[in-house]
Amino acid sequence: MKIIGNDTHLRNAMIRVTAKNTVTKDYPKLGLKAGDVYEVSFSDIIDTLNEWAKTKKLEYFAIEHYSDQNNIHYHIVIVFDENSQAKFSQVKEHFPFGVIKRCEHGVSSCVKYLIHKMNPEKFQYDPYEIKTNSESSLLKYLSLSGYSERKLLDKLCTKIIAGDIKEYQIEKISSDIFTKHRRRIDNAFEYRRRMLLMDTNRDVTVIYIQGASAVGKTTFCKAYAKKHNLSIKLSSSGRHPLEGYGNEDVLVLDDVKIDEIPITEMLNTIDPNNNYEISVRYKRILFTGEIIFICSNKDIFDWYKWEDDRVLDAFYRRIKYVFDFYDKDQNNISHYSVNYIHVKSKELVEAERKSILDEIKREKPYLDNYEYTKLVNQKFERARLCKIEDRTFDLNQYIDTKKSDDDAFLKTLDVV
């Protein structure tokens, strides 16, 4: 790469400016000393460009990249008039903290980079977020040739099939490409699903969280996903637990009702070891994540009580842990226990049932077989929770628990 000197004349420039800059040397003109932190806003960038454009013939295209809140920065592309080139030192004077380069691969490539148009693995910005003083030139630079569009589409589909772009990450696909080539993009996702089905094994952790309303069950799931940088999907659709699922890492079956999901579909959905497709209205969906949380205000042993022992065993054995949220104190600290489900063996089940039946017959020898069976089922426990440990969850770290005296919404209502 050719080194750009202060007197080098530039016909165009690609500039990157960071929002927060630590000053490494004194800048008397700006009143800054080494060690100071100098902050630049996007409006500062646009004001600088507009002021310069009053005395210099140039076209500019600028955007704020905000997808990483810890690294907000701005990209600027400047095209100088053929008879009004600028020296590197002039550009540096206007953007003293900018990294300045030529548009080595052409102005069009640099303008496309502003929205990551040719980089589907990166966050896709909307073209309308670009600020410019030449809309017509912006449209010209953003347009794709037939070859470039096919190349971009091929790149997108390759990443979808590889799992680098998931269905919930629709923002990685520009709106114009998606609307124009939706069928091919949908086919790429379908190919990915069928490819995953070829491996019948999976490793999924299933956690059942029980407790009263407002003790922090759902907030706990969100906090877990955030802490481990996992994508999350909340599902409360009832009959179809995977409806709207887009390959997120964590699935939360939130506040599901006992009688909403048939036992067969529930067993297939939460199977920790085997891949199953789940029918959802007009399509079939495959869970590809790592963790499934089931949140309910019902005790785990209230689920599917009408099913036989074999089916209940299969349900219990799919659940690795049961988190029992049993209290939330006045400081908004939730207390919960971590448990596993102990399922009794067949031999023990038969022995306990016989013992209970013998006891009932001694007390009530006049009942028929149906009534005896009913009473045995009421007293018999097929499984039980075994506590591992108690833990706490601080809700104050994740929700605003302070109640405001002045509700902003109520202020918007007309007073009658």
Side-chain angles (χ1 to χ4, degrees):
M1 181 187 299
K2 188 177 179 180
I3 298 175
I4 302 177
N6 283 333
D7 294 328
T8 301
H9 285 79
L10 301 175
R11 298 179 60 183
N12 51 60
M14 179 72 169
I15 309 166
R16 185 187 190 278
V17 181
T18 305
K20 288 187 177 181
N21 303 271
T22 301
V23 180
T24 57
K25 64 179 182 180
D26 294 347
Y27 281 85
K29 290 184 178 180
L30 297 175
L32 298 173
K33 295 182 178 180
D36 290 348
V37 175
Y38 182 64
E39 297 190 16
V40 183
S41 68
F42 190 50
S43 60
D44 293 335
I45 298 291
I46 301 304
D47 289 343
T48 299
L49 289 166
N50 285 331
E51 284 298 315
W52 197 10
K54 291 178 181 178
T55 58
K56 189 81 171 173
K57 289 185 178 181
L58 60 85
E59 293 178 343
Y60 70 78
F61 313 91
I63 194 169
E64 176 181 352
H65 280 190
Y66 51 78
S67 61
D68 182 358
Q69 286 295 304
N70 296 319
N71 183 28
I72 296 176
H73 57 277
Y74 319 108
H75 286 287
I76 310 154
V77 178
I78 300 178
V79 181
F80 299 102
D81 185 79
E82 187 175 349
N83 299 317
S84 182
Q85 296 180 13
K87 289 183 179 181
F88 175 86
S89 58
Q90 291 178 294
V91 180
K92 192 66 176 176
E93 184 179 347
H94 285 84
F95 301 99
F97 297 97
V99 177
I100 304 166
K101 299 179 180 179
R102 286 192 179 97
C103 295
E104 295 180 354
H105 301 289
V107 174
S108 182
S109 294
C110 289
V111 174
K112 288 184 177 71
Y113 182 79
L114 299 182
I115 58 173
H116 294 153
K117 191 162 188 173
M118 302 300 291
N119 302 87
E121 73 279 3
K122 296 187 176 183
F123 183 86
Q124 297 292 296
Y125 292 92
D126 195 299
Y128 292 106
E129 295 181 77
I130 298 177
K131 300 297 183 183
T132 181
N133 64 343
S134 179
E135 293 288 346
S136 59
S137 293
L138 175 62
L139 294 174
K140 177 185 70 175
Y141 290 132
L142 284 179
S143 63
L144 287 173
S145 67
Y147 172 77
S148 296
E149 188 168 309
R150 288 193 301 272
K151 185 178 177 182
L152 174 59
L153 190 58
D154 289 342
K155 195 174 182 180
L156 274 172
C157 291
T158 299
K159 288 188 171 295
I160 289 171
I161 292 170
D164 296 329
I165 298 179
K166 299 180 179 180
E167 288 190 70
Y168 75 90
Q169 297 173 309
I170 192 67
E171 79 280 354
K172 289 191 173 184
I173 305 173
S174 62
S175 57
D176 56 335
I177 293 294
F178 181 78
T179 52
K180 189 174 180 181
H181 300 284
R182 181 172 181 176
R183 176 173 292 183
R184 185 173 172 189
I185 291 169
D186 286 344
N187 286 341
F189 281 121
E190 174 64 14
Y191 183 88
R192 167 74 179 172
R193 183 185 65 81
R194 294 190 183 191
M195 189 174 68
L196 291 174
L197 273 174
M198 294 178 67
D199 183 0
T200 58
N201 300 317
R202 70 180 185 185
D203 184 12
V204 176
T205 299
V206 182
I207 309 292
Y208 185 89
I209 304 181
Q210 62 186 34
S213 299
V215 294
K217 301 188 296 295
T218 306
T219 304
F220 176 89
C221 299
K222 293 178 180 178
Y224 180 90
K226 183 177 181 180
K227 179 180 179 180
H228 296 280
N229 196 28
L230 300 173
S231 54
I232 184 170
K233 169 66 179 178
L234 300 182
S235 173
S236 58
S237 61
R239 174 66 178 80
H240 303 288
L242 290 185
E243 185 169 8
Y245 175 71
N247 304 118
E248 288 86 354
D249 303 313
V250 177
L251 173 66
V252 182
L253 304 182
D254 194 29
D255 197 26
V256 291
K257 305 298 185 292
I258 294 175
D259 57 349
E260 285 184 332
I261 306 175
I263 183 63
T264 303
E265 185 162 340
M266 175 61 84
L267 292 178
N268 288 343
T269 300
I270 67 173
D271 193 307
N273 303 313
N274 301 297
N275 265 335
Y276 289 102
E277 286 184 302
I278 305 300
S279 296
V280 179
R281 301 185 191 276
Y282 58 89
K283 62 188 294 189
R284 298 181 69 80
I285 296 178
L286 181 70
F287 178 71
T288 59
E290 302 175 12
I291 299 176
I292 297 177
F293 289 107
I294 306 172
C295 297
S296 176
N297 56 13
K298 297 292 185 181
D299 188 280
I300 181 65
F301 299 122
D302 287 337
W303 282 69
Y304 304 116
K305 288 167 57 174
W306 54 88
E307 299 289 348
D308 61 38
D309 290 345
R310 179 182 58 82
V311 174
L312 282 175
D313 283 359
F315 177 62
Y316 295 148
R317 294 185 192 282
R318 281 162 165 73
I319 297 171
K320 187 168 185 177
Y321 298 114
V322 174
F323 294 173
D324 184 14
F325 277 63
Y326 55 83
D327 184 39
K328 184 179 76 171
D329 62 30
Q330 60 184 4
N331 296 317
N332 286 299
I333 306 296
S334 291
H335 300 261
Y336 68 97
S337 61
V338 178
N339 312 267
Y340 68 89
I341 301 176
H342 173 69
V343 181
K344 297 174 182 176
S345 66
K346 182 180 179 180
E347 293 76 15
L348 184 59
V349 167
E350 292 175 352
E352 286 192 10
R353 279 188 176 277
K354 186 177 183 303
S355 175
I356 294 172
L357 178 60
D358 292 343
E359 181 182 348
I360 294 174
K361 282 184 175 181
R362 285 194 297 269
E363 295 175 357
K364 302 177 180 180
Y366 48 82
L367 299 178
D368 59 27
N369 287 336
Y370 173 78
E371 291 175 317
Y372 281 134
T373 302
K374 185 177 179 181
L375 289 173
V376 169
N377 288 337
Q378 289 176 356
K379 290 190 173 184
F380 176 71
E381 292 183 348
R382 183 72 186 84
R384 62 185 176 87
L385 291 183
C386 297
K387 183 188 290 188
I388 299 174
E389 61 185 3
D390 287 303
R391 293 190 177 189
T392 59
F393 174 57
D394 188 355
L395 283 164
N396 299 293
Q397 296 183 29
Y398 303 99
I399 61 174
D400 183 8
T401 56
K402 296 180 180 179
K403 294 183 178 179
S404 174
D405 295 331
D406 299 321
D407 192 305
F409 172 72
L410 294 179
K411 288 182 178 181
T412 66
L413 299 179
D414 292 332
V415 178
V416 179

